[in-house]
Amino acid sequence: MSFLSSNVSITNYIVNGKLEDPVVETVSEKLSSHVIEDIDDESTEKSVGWTSYDNPFEPDFQGSTFVVGSHFVFTLRIDKKQISPRIILKHYQKEMIKKLKETGRDYLNKGEKKAVKEYVINLLHQRIPASPHMYDIVWNYEKSRISFFSNQKTANDEFETLFIKTFNLELIRIFPYTSAFFLQNLSDLEKDILNRLTSDSFI
C-alpha cells in the first residue's frame, strides 16, 4: 500500500538500536543485499525483498535515492504465484494420461503420482508471472520511528522478519501499552504499575 493512497492503513514501530556510520551508506548496502528477486521465469512460488519506492520494478539503492529529507523511504515487495486448484487438476490429469501411455501401464503408484503432481506445479509456476504486492516504508532514523503502510498480519510479519534480518535491529510495534511504556517518559514506579495492569471486560 502506498502512503499517497486516498485510504491508508499504517502500523507504527519503534526501532531499537543504531546502525554503523556512515548511516546512509550502511542502509544502501543492506537494502541492496536483500533486494527482491524476480521469479517470473522460476518455479519459486514466493519472493520477498526490498525495492525502490519510485521504481518498484527496477530496484536501485545506490547513493541516496531512498533518502527524502531526514527519512528513508523504500518499499517491501512480495511477489506471489497463485494457481487455481482446477488448473492444477486439469494439467495433472493430462500428465497422468501421458505417463500411462508412455509406460504402457494401467496405473501409477503413490510415489509416481506425487512426482507427477510436483512436476505439474513446478511447470505451471514457471509459466505464470508473479503478482506483486507493495507496502511502503517511511523510516525517520533520527527519531527511531517507522511507519509501515499496512496492518495485514501476513504483510507485517514479512516486514518484521525481513527488517530484522536486513538491519539486525529490533522492531517494537506501537500500540497503547508500548506507546505508554516507551514514549511517555514514565518513572520506574509508573512502569511497574503499568506492568501490573490487567485487561477488563466492558460487557
Side-chain angles (χ1 to χ4, degrees):
M1 177 178 289
S2 171
F3 62 82
L4 296 180
S5 299
S6 57
N7 295 305
V8 297
S9 298
I10 304 174
T11 305
N12 291 309
Y13 293 90
I14 301 168
V15 183
N16 188 16
K18 294 293 182 180
L19 297 170
E20 295 179 2
D21 290 324
V23 173
V24 172
E25 286 80 354
T26 299
V27 174
S28 173
E29 177 186 343
K30 289 183 177 295
L31 287 174
S32 298
S33 67
H34 292 83
V35 74
I36 184 77
E37 294 183 6
D38 199 315
I39 58 172
D40 278 353
D41 298 321
E42 306 292 334
S43 61
T44 308
E45 184 178 355
K46 183 175 74 171
S47 180
V48 181
W50 307 120
T51 192
S52 306
Y53 166 75
D54 56 349
N55 197 352
F57 300 109
E58 292 291 338
D60 178 17
F61 296 112
Q62 299 304 310
S64 57
T65 56
F66 55 91
V67 180
V68 179
S70 60
H71 297 73
F72 301 139
V73 179
F74 50 102
T75 298
L76 173 73
R77 189 173 124 200
I78 304 174
D79 286 4
K80 290 182 179 180
K81 295 183 179 182
Q82 295 179 324
I83 308 171
S84 165
R86 293 183 180 182
I87 293 177
I88 294 175
L89 179 61
K90 170 187 172 182
H91 288 271
Y92 170 72
Q93 290 179 343
K94 291 174 67 175
E95 189 65 25
M96 284 284 290
I97 293 170
K98 179 181 174 182
K99 288 293 182 183
L100 289 172
K101 287 181 178 179
E102 289 176 354
T103 60
R105 292 155 54 192
D106 295 327
Y107 66 93
L108 298 179
N109 62 40
K110 185 177 180 179
E112 291 171 323
K113 290 179 181 179
K114 181 180 178 182
V116 169
K117 187 171 185 178
E118 290 175 351
Y119 168 78
V120 166
I121 292 174
N122 286 336
L123 189 64
L124 290 172
H125 277 150
Q126 289 177 347
R127 292 177 178 175
I128 67 170
S131 298
H133 305 267
M134 265 84 75
Y135 307 92
D136 293 337
I137 296 111
V138 177
W139 183 359
N140 186 330
Y141 184 77
E142 294 178 357
K143 294 185 178 181
S144 299
R145 301 287 186 272
I146 281 181
S147 292
F148 177 67
F149 285 79
S150 175
N151 54 22
Q152 298 176 13
K153 184 180 186 306
T154 300
N156 282 76
D157 288 346
E158 294 283 10
F159 166 66
E160 293 170 14
T161 299
L162 184 59
F163 186 90
I164 294 169
K165 180 180 179 182
T166 302
F167 299 104
N168 196 29
L169 297 175
E170 180 186 9
L171 285 175
I172 301 170
R173 196 178 299 196
I174 298 176
F175 54 93
Y177 171 81
T178 55
S179 178
F181 193 87
F182 292 100
L183 303 180
Q184 301 303 317
N185 297 317
L186 300 180
S187 67
D188 289 342
L189 176 59
E190 289 171 327
K191 288 181 179 180
D192 183 58
I193 293 173
L194 181 64
N195 281 330
R196 288 188 277 109
L197 293 179
T198 58
S199 61
D200 201 355
S201 175
F202 291 92
I203 298 176

